[in-house]
Amino acid sequence: MADVTAALFFAEMRFDPKDPHNPDSDRFVLSKGHAAPILYAAWAEAGAFDRSELLELRTIGSDLEGHPTPRLPFVDVATGSLGQGICAAIGTALNARRIKSSYRTYVLLGDGESAEGSVWEAADVATMDGLDNLCGITDVNGLGQSRATMWQHDMEQFARRWRAFGWHAIVIDGHDMSAILDALDEARRTKGQPTMILARTIKGKGVSFVEGKGGWHGKAFKKGEELDRALAELEKQFVPVPEGGSNLASRIPKPASTLRAVATPRPVAPPAYKMGDEVATREAYGAAIAKLGEADPRVVALDADVKNSTFSDKFEQAFPDRFYQNFIAEQVMVGAAMGLAARGAIPFPSTFACFLSRAADFIRMAAISNVNIKLAGSHAGVSIGEDGPSQMALEDLAMCRTAPNYTVLYPCDAVSTERLVALMAYHPGPAYMRTSRPKTPVIYANDEAFTIGGLKVLRESAKDVATVIGAGVTVFEALEAYGQLKASGVAIRVIDLYSVAPVDAAGLVAAGRATGGRLITVEDHYAAGGIGDAVAEAVAAAGLTVQRLAVREIARSGRPDELLDRYGISAKHIVEAVRALEARG
Amino acid sequence: MADVTAALFFAEMRFDPKDPHNPDSDRFVLSKGHAAPILYAAWAEAGAFDRSELLELRTIGSDLEGHPTPRLPFVDVATGSLGQGICAAIGTALNARRIKSSYRTYVLLGDGESAEGSVWEAADVATMDGLDNLCGITDVNGLGQSRATMWQHDMEQFARRWRAFGWHAIVIDGHDMSAILDALDEARRTKGQPTMILARTIKGKGVSFVEGKGGWHGKAFKKGEELDRALAELEKQFVPVPEGGSNLASRIPKPASTLRAVATPRPVAPPAYKMGDEVATREAYGAAIAKLGEADPRVVALDADVKNSTFSDKFEQAFPDRFYQNFIAEQVMVGAAMGLAARGAIPFPSTFACFLSRAADFIRMAAISNVNIKLAGSHAGVSIGEDGPSQMALEDLAMCRTAPNYTVLYPCDAVSTERLVALMAYHPGPAYMRTSRPKTPVIYANDEAFTIGGLKVLRESAKDVATVIGAGVTVFEALEAYGQLKASGVAIRVIDLYSVAPVDAAGLVAAGRATGGRLITVEDHYAAGGIGDAVAEAVAAAGLTVQRLAVREIARSGRPDELLDRYGISAKHIVEAVRALEARG
């Protein structure tokens, strides 16, 4: 890869090594993140930092980690899970259009990596969007980690796949500098479609005893004879440095500067719902992002062919240019959002919450990148009803709550949805909003204030015997249980835990202490990893424990009300749990 | 799809409607699971159940759910998350080879579905494996859920993609019965490669006011005029039923019967490690599956090009015919395992634990299918060291523990690994084993007994001031802390929680009660969704709370010992936590 990287960094790309975040700078994404050392070497050579720092590679004090992360200013998104970089590159390429910049995006993939399905999701989307500002380079070295790759050096296998997916494909000898430069030039001149340069390479090129051999993946030379021999062979191939040093850095073309107005978000009007109106939170979500899009041009939305269910079509209708359709391909949807976010957009990718799990590894890497994506998942829980378990998200809270830097929000009505969408947009870092299919009544006034890490006490009295903590649809089950218990003279406290991560530990402890230490969580989610666990950890230090009502078996099709009841999270079960706790004293 | 389905069920497939699990029966996978009604209609027509049951569709008392699940005996794996059925079909096709049966696998996909990357992972693997016993049919109706599909009726787009991926592609008019039957015949006669029949269809064919129109996805006709009109139009097209009924069911070809010996697993020899030997659990895992493979021919292993890191190459060396290489494509690896499991194999798919998250949606659907797959993830946690956060699984326990029917095991030494591999193989349902990169000493005798849902108390005395619960690498941190505390006269109980789901609630409560209610969990995993949460829920009803030591920020590269310490899960932090709890009383 040394030849390709040298060509990119010192002849092709326009960038400023001292200002890698320049908005008009060409982007380079190392999709095969395990090749990090060459990325670091190239940036050091370009002058981004001192070459001596390279010797700190993979040590705990250095940001030159085993795989690249955005701790380094010249890395847009963390790579190291294969097939993700090219999806992020779709995002940075779309972003160039969004900000009307002529910058180009280059993405370097491995041949082994090309087996990942996400690569082909990206291939389709790039073609659909005609991304001629995107240039891929596949390093076809024929060797995977554990064996030869699927197609080894059969370049035609790669060429026909990329061409079938609508890309301009160029096959070259990846060690022929003229061929590399010509291919990059051809890519730049290719209009209306993205280009993939398929570079046939020899792994370990230049060191005779490793060239093209397996068994060397991720291995350093042994110090002593082995290392000395390799260095000697490489040094023999050095081209003499001209007088005064090579000064490669000075040859890097500067980014084209684009004059553009700084976008200043306008204030967003408050929600305008009527108390008691029946509005599904997914529909309120769609309306909220459309409203936010009006106020802030950085807001964009991404879909995976369910816009009429998630109501992201409300955004598309208002801002078709900032709406990115990915068809049924959740990985590239989330990956592209990561690339857009890395370049300053505020992306809202959405689909059914259960299908976000298709992009779980991207969601994991988004945490590592600490990138500013705003995921939204609709149709959470058994309350979707008849469509059955494959369409019910019952593990999405666990998926997003586990990473320590995710904000997780779960509104129960239209007003809180709209307020929380605005909050999540401007709260830095990755965030996830869970919405529901059924219509629920508006219970908050339009001027009600919400905070990330907050909760709402909906019912309370000095005589409360227990606190019931719901979120989303179960807030209404808790309110129903409150009514039934009140009729028989029993008072309970009811909390809407709209912020699942972080949680308001102090508020939960206070409620628990005020209600005899009796805390009951009720959630339309599996018992593990969700609201019960979040509350339990928050109150543990205060010596409080939690009784969890949650879905504890594989669900099935049925009416929403039948399912809430069957899986133990309806008002009836809350009433029973309160009575049982009360009887126990 | 009525035409294609009729051709498959009543002219092409060999099966016994009364015995859908016949091992030599052709398999039909409805990858586009939302078309469930036609699947049910076909099986009813074939005689699997009474037609009157169709009227119970999507009601809580019926197994005819919104999307198919294996609650129905004729469904191998649940579908409804697109792009999964074709991966499972790879598994059923591989299984035919495994059991030396001539049965064929048919899989029906949607055109919208073809945007999912997993479809192309499956395409590559089927070609690599030359699966000529696999026939796909893509229903190209041009309409997605929310809009026209990417390529609409441009059949050439589909044909060139499948051909580029090495399949025999046949384009037909999907409403021309002769063309369908000819294509199925051609597929059957095609050797050495799989076939994809690309059927151009009109959605809503036969009802004039919906034919080829958007906006009807998943919608039923309104009772009254709309329904009556549609029924009248369809009834006009009925072909007269011959005297005595059509008796379609009697025309179904019976499966070819294959004589084969019933495989009887032989006893497995006990582990043969030496106490104190340093062996990584990932290496013990590889040795264990190879040993199990010797005893039971149903055991198979699947890899995603990391066999030399997960040590599944030990299995490959012993049983190359039962080892399935998927290259770097985790979705098809897990999906194929689901198909193999559905047909009686005991599949062990393995990769780095963090990359299993690439298949999170498959892992979710495997829970819904309650299918017998045995996932293994190596390189868990920060203890992998220098490779950095992209390679560290810190959310895998949460991912697998959340579904209520997963068994989750996490051994700390070679003996427990080998014992638990054998246990998980014969424990029905989905299971996950987490293994570690570093070598750890053997601490169990070869005849030590383990159980699913068990734990081991490694250190205990009547004076223990706290219980420290570790698993995997943190068991050794806990033992080290035990030693340090003992030197200063403080005794602690140490538990190896090798079974994370289910957990031994009684054992944990007993330990907690015996040690002043002081329970400390320590895990190489994020704080949410893992061992801390599992223990907290198990002991909550006894009024006990848990203090959790876990990874609470995004990790970075460094030496394993540095990272365990930096992220608060080393012996030093355990000692501090014990002292702090003790001081609090």
Side-chain angles (χ1 to χ4, degrees):
Chain A
M1 284 174 43
D3 303 291
V4 166
T5 309
L8 280 169
F9 274 74
F10 303 107
E12 174 68 12
M13 293 201 300
R14 300 161 301 165
F15 67 107
D16 178 353
K18 298 293 184 192
D19 178 22
H21 281 298
N22 182 316
D24 295 301
S25 222
D26 287 347
R27 314 313 304 172
F28 176 70
V29 183
L30 183 68
S31 200
K32 50 177 293 188
H34 53 279
I38 202 164
L39 177 76
Y40 304 155
W43 279 96
E45 194 64 35
F49 58 89
D50 197 88
R51 288 171 68 159
S52 64
E53 286 183 41
L54 292 171
L55 299 175
E56 306 301 313
L57 180 71
R58 291 160 61 100
T59 59
I60 197 164
S62 170
D63 288 340
L64 302 174
E65 299 192 71
H67 295 76
T69 78
R71 286 194 177 106
L72 296 163
F74 50 81
V75 173
D76 281 337
V77 295
T79 53
S81 181
L82 294 171
Q84 294 207 16
I86 186 171
C87 296
I90 302 283
T92 62
L94 288 171
N95 187 71
R97 276 196 193 159
R98 182 185 71 86
I99 66 167
K100 299 185 175 50
S101 173
S102 64
Y103 79 74
R104 291 176 59 75
T105 295
Y106 299 87
V107 55
L108 187 51
L109 295 106
D111 48 352
E113 175 174 15
S114 306
E116 284 287 6
S118 58
V119 171
W120 303 102
E121 295 184 10
D124 262 341
V125 170
T127 294
M128 277 303 295
D129 291 341
L131 294 179
D132 51 19
N133 60 355
L134 176 64
C135 176
I137 304 106
T138 305
D139 174 28
V140 185
N141 64 33
L143 292 172
Q145 173 184 315
S146 73
R147 51 165 287 170
T149 57
M150 207 182 306
W151 308 118
Q152 302 172 49
H153 275 129
D154 183 349
M155 304 303 288
E156 186 46 36
Q157 291 279 359
F158 295 93
R160 72 177 197 221
R161 280 169 171 73
W162 286 100
R163 285 176 190 141
F165 273 72
W167 287 48
H168 179 59
I170 309 171
V171 176
I172 60 166
D173 171 355
H175 301 299
D176 176 341
M177 186 55 76
S178 305
I180 299 169
L181 293 171
D182 286 351
L184 289 168
D185 187 57
E186 185 175 324
R188 218 182 316 103
R189 288 182 288 103
T190 301
K191 298 300 167 198
Q193 66 180 155
T195 295
M196 179 58 71
I197 299 170
L198 297 159
R200 186 186 194 283
T201 62
I202 308 293
K203 203 166 175 171
K205 173 85 172 166
V207 178
S208 60
F209 58 97
V210 300
E211 262 192 15
K213 292 204 172 64
W216 284 95
H217 184 90
K219 276 192 192 149
F221 290 122
K222 278 196 209 79
K223 276 191 184 170
E225 198 193 345
E226 191 174 276
L227 176 63
D228 294 345
R229 198 178 142 202
L231 287 177
E233 287 195 22
L234 286 170
E235 279 167 6
K236 246 191 252 166
Q237 301 166 60
F238 280 0
V239 176
V241 176
E243 281 293 314
S246 69
N247 207 3
L248 274 174
S250 70
R251 294 169 43 185
I252 300 169
K254 290 280 165 290
S257 91
T258 311
L259 283 176
R260 66 176 69 84
V262 175
T264 313
R266 288 197 297 270
V268 188
Y273 289 101
K274 259 172 54 194
M275 199 76 87
D277 273 0
E278 296 271 335
V279 185
T281 51
R282 61 185 167 122
E283 185 162 4
Y285 163 81
I289 57 168
K291 207 161 157 182
L292 201 65
E294 178 68 38
D296 192 333
R298 295 171 302 173
V299 172
V300 302
L302 297 95
D303 180 33
D305 188 21
V306 287
K307 63 187 180 185
N308 55 341
S309 291
T310 59
F311 288 97
S312 65
D313 57 1
K314 289 176 188 273
F315 187 95
E316 182 188 28
Q317 283 147 27
F319 308 103
D321 290 351
R322 281 142 60 193
F323 183 83
Y324 307 110
Q325 182 57 262
N326 299 275
F327 298 90
I328 309 174
E330 296 78 11
Q331 295 186 87
V332 67
M333 177 181 73
V334 175
M338 287 160 69
L340 278 155
R343 305 309 316 136
I346 304 175
F348 282 81
S350 61
T351 181
F352 280 37
C354 61
F355 301 135
L356 280 178
S357 67
R358 202 55 161 267
D361 193 36
F362 287 71
I363 289 170
R364 177 179 80 88
M365 292 292 286
I368 293 168
S369 292
N370 197 34
V371 77
N372 198 34
I373 58 165
K374 313 302 169 184
L375 297 158
S378 67
H379 293 72
V382 301
S383 59
I384 68 158
E386 288 83 353
D387 277 347
S390 65
Q391 318 294 299
M392 296 169 177
L394 290 162
E395 54 293 284
D396 55 316
L397 294 177
M399 175 174 69
C400 291
R401 215 190 119 240
T402 303
N405 54 348
Y406 263 86
T407 300
V408 179
L409 304 170
Y410 184 12
C412 71
D413 84 338
V415 168
S416 52
T417 303
E418 188 169 323
R419 291 285 184 186
L420 292 171
V421 162
L423 282 175
M424 87 193 277
Y426 298 111
H427 184 80
Y432 169 56
M433 174 172 284
R434 181 186 224 219
T435 65
S436 305
R437 181 176 180 277
K439 288 181 189 294
T440 46
V442 172
I443 60 166
Y444 291 113
N446 285 314
D447 61 355
E448 185 83 31
F450 296 81
T451 55
I452 286 174
L455 55 75
K456 291 286 174 191
V457 179
L458 298 178
R459 299 287 184 273
E460 69 179 317
S461 79
K463 294 182 296 181
D464 296 340
V465 300
T467 299
V468 175
I469 300 147
V473 295
T474 62
V475 166
F476 301 95
E477 299 300 318
L479 290 174
E480 170 66 23
Y482 167 89
Q484 292 179 18
L485 287 163
K486 193 180 173 193
S488 61
V490 176
I492 58 168
R493 191 155 299 191
V494 175
I495 284 179
D496 170 13
L497 193 73
Y498 64 80
S499 178
V500 175
V503 289
D504 177 359
L508 291 166
V509 168
R513 285 185 173 147
T515 58
R518 296 184 201 92
L519 290 166
I520 299 167
T521 54
V522 51
E523 60 191 305
D524 194 358
H525 187 275
Y526 286 141
I531 291 170
D533 282 353
V535 173
E537 182 172 16
V539 302
L544 296 171
T545 60
V546 173
Q547 187 183 343
R548 297 157 165 87
L549 302 183
V551 179
R552 290 180 185 276
E553 55 184 297
I554 302 300
R556 61 187 302 140
S557 292
R559 289 199 321 267
D561 60 324
E562 288 175 331
L563 297 180
L564 289 176
D565 203 52
R566 183 181 182 119
Y567 298 111
I569 56 173
S570 64
K572 184 183 86 182
H573 292 279
I574 298 170
V575 168
E576 285 169 8
V578 169
R579 291 198 187 282
L581 274 188
E582 209 196 353
R584 223 166 65 187
Chain B
M1 284 173 44
D3 303 292
V4 165
T5 309
L8 280 169
F9 274 75
F10 304 107
E12 174 68 12
M13 293 201 300
R14 300 161 301 165
F15 66 106
D16 177 355
K18 298 294 184 194
D19 178 21
H21 281 297
N22 182 315
D24 295 301
S25 220
D26 286 348
R27 313 314 304 170
F28 176 69
V29 183
L30 183 67
S31 200
K32 50 176 293 187
H34 53 279
I38 203 164
L39 177 76
Y40 305 154
W43 279 96
E45 194 64 35
F49 58 89
D50 197 88
R51 287 171 69 158
S52 65
E53 287 183 41
L54 292 172
L55 299 174
E56 306 301 313
L57 179 71
R58 289 160 63 99
T59 59
I60 199 165
S62 170
D63 288 339
L64 302 175
E65 299 193 72
H67 294 76
T69 77
R71 286 195 177 105
L72 295 163
F74 51 80
V75 173
D76 280 336
V77 294
T79 53
S81 182
L82 295 171
Q84 295 207 15
I86 186 171
C87 296
I90 301 284
T92 61
L94 288 171
N95 187 70
R97 276 196 192 157
R98 182 185 71 86
I99 66 167
K100 300 185 174 51
S101 172
S102 64
Y103 78 75
R104 291 177 59 74
T105 295
Y106 299 87
V107 55
L108 187 50
L109 295 106
D111 48 352
E113 176 175 15
S114 307
E116 285 286 6
S118 57
V119 171
W120 303 102
E121 294 184 10
D124 262 341
V125 169
T127 294
M128 277 303 295
D129 291 341
L131 293 179
D132 51 19
N133 59 356
L134 176 65
C135 176
I137 304 106
T138 305
D139 174 27
V140 185
N141 64 33
L143 292 171
Q145 174 185 314
S146 73
R147 51 164 287 171
T149 57
M150 207 182 304
W151 307 118
Q152 302 172 49
H153 275 130
D154 183 350
M155 304 303 289
E156 186 47 36
Q157 291 280 358
F158 295 94
R160 72 177 197 222
R161 279 168 172 73
W162 287 100
R163 285 177 189 141
F165 274 73
W167 287 48
H168 179 59
I170 309 171
V171 176
I172 60 167
D173 171 354
H175 301 298
D176 177 341
M177 187 55 77
S178 307
I180 299 169
L181 293 171
D182 286 352
L184 288 169
D185 187 57
E186 186 176 324
R188 219 182 315 104
R189 288 182 290 104
T190 300
K191 298 300 168 199
Q193 66 180 153
T195 295
M196 178 57 70
I197 299 171
L198 298 159
R200 186 187 194 281
T201 63
I202 308 293
K203 204 166 175 171
K205 173 86 173 165
V207 179
S208 59
F209 58 97
V210 300
E211 261 190 16
K213 292 204 171 67
W216 284 95
H217 185 91
K219 275 191 194 150
F221 289 122
K222 279 196 210 77
K223 276 193 183 170
E225 198 192 345
E226 190 175 277
L227 176 62
D228 294 345
R229 200 179 141 200
L231 287 177
E233 286 194 23
L234 287 170
E235 280 168 5
K236 246 191 251 167
Q237 299 167 60
F238 280 179
V239 176
V241 176
E243 279 296 312
S246 68
N247 206 4
L248 274 175
S250 70
R251 295 170 42 186
I252 300 169
K254 291 282 166 288
S257 91
T258 310
L259 283 177
R260 65 175 69 83
V262 175
T264 313
R266 288 198 297 270
V268 188
Y273 290 100
K274 258 173 54 194
M275 199 77 85
D277 272 0
E278 295 271 335
V279 185
T281 51
R282 62 185 167 122
E283 186 161 5
Y285 163 81
I289 56 168
K291 206 162 158 182
L292 201 66
E294 177 68 38
D296 192 333
R298 295 171 302 173
V299 172
V300 302
L302 297 94
D303 180 33
D305 188 21
V306 287
K307 63 187 181 187
N308 55 341
S309 290
T310 59
F311 288 98
S312 65
D313 57 2
K314 289 175 188 275
F315 186 95
E316 182 188 28
Q317 283 148 26
F319 308 102
D321 290 351
R322 281 144 58 194
F323 182 82
Y324 307 110
Q325 181 57 263
N326 298 275
F327 298 90
I328 308 175
E330 296 78 10
Q331 295 186 87
V332 67
M333 176 180 73
V334 176
M338 287 160 69
L340 279 155
R343 304 308 318 134
I346 304 176
F348 282 81
S350 61
T351 180
F352 280 36
C354 61
F355 301 135
L356 281 178
S357 68
R358 202 55 161 266
D361 193 35
F362 288 71
I363 290 170
R364 178 179 79 86
M365 293 292 287
I368 292 169
S369 292
N370 197 33
V371 76
N372 198 33
I373 57 166
K374 313 302 170 184
L375 297 158
S378 67
H379 293 73
V382 300
S383 59
I384 68 157
E386 289 82 355
D387 277 347
S390 64
Q391 318 293 300
M392 296 169 177
L394 289 163
E395 55 291 284
D396 56 316
L397 294 176
M399 176 174 70
C400 291
R401 213 190 120 240
T402 302
N405 54 349
Y406 263 86
T407 300
V408 179
L409 304 170
Y410 184 12
C412 71
D413 85 339
V415 168
S416 52
T417 303
E418 187 170 322
R419 290 284 185 187
L420 292 171
V421 161
L423 282 175
M424 88 193 275
Y426 297 111
H427 184 79
Y432 169 55
M433 174 172 285
R434 182 186 223 219
T435 65
S436 304
R437 181 177 179 278
K439 288 180 189 293
T440 47
V442 172
I443 60 167
Y444 292 112
N446 285 314
D447 61 355
E448 184 83 31
F450 296 81
T451 56
I452 286 175
L455 55 75
K456 290 286 174 191
V457 180
L458 298 179
R459 300 286 184 275
E460 67 180 318
S461 78
K463 294 181 297 179
D464 296 339
V465 301
T467 299
V468 175
I469 300 147
V473 294
T474 62
V475 166
F476 302 94
E477 298 301 318
L479 291 173
E480 170 66 23
Y482 167 89
Q484 291 179 19
L485 287 163
K486 192 180 175 194
S488 60
V490 177
I492 58 168
R493 191 155 301 191
V494 175
I495 285 178
D496 170 12
L497 193 73
Y498 63 81
S499 178
V500 176
V503 288
D504 176 0
L508 291 167
V509 168
R513 285 187 173 145
T515 58
R518 296 184 201 91
L519 290 165
I520 299 168
T521 54
V522 51
E523 60 190 304
D524 194 358
H525 187 275
Y526 286 140
I531 290 170
D533 282 354
V535 174
E537 183 173 14
V539 302
L544 297 171
T545 60
V546 172
Q547 187 183 341
R548 297 155 164 89
L549 303 183
V551 179
R552 291 181 185 274
E553 56 184 297
I554 302 301
R556 61 186 303 140
S557 293
R559 290 201 319 267
D561 60 324
E562 288 174 332
L563 298 179
L564 290 175
D565 203 51
R566 183 179 182 121
Y567 298 112
I569 55 173
S570 65
K572 185 184 86 182
H573 292 279
I574 298 170
V575 168
E576 284 169 8
V578 169
R579 292 199 187 280
L581 274 188
E582 209 196 354
R584 223 167 65 189

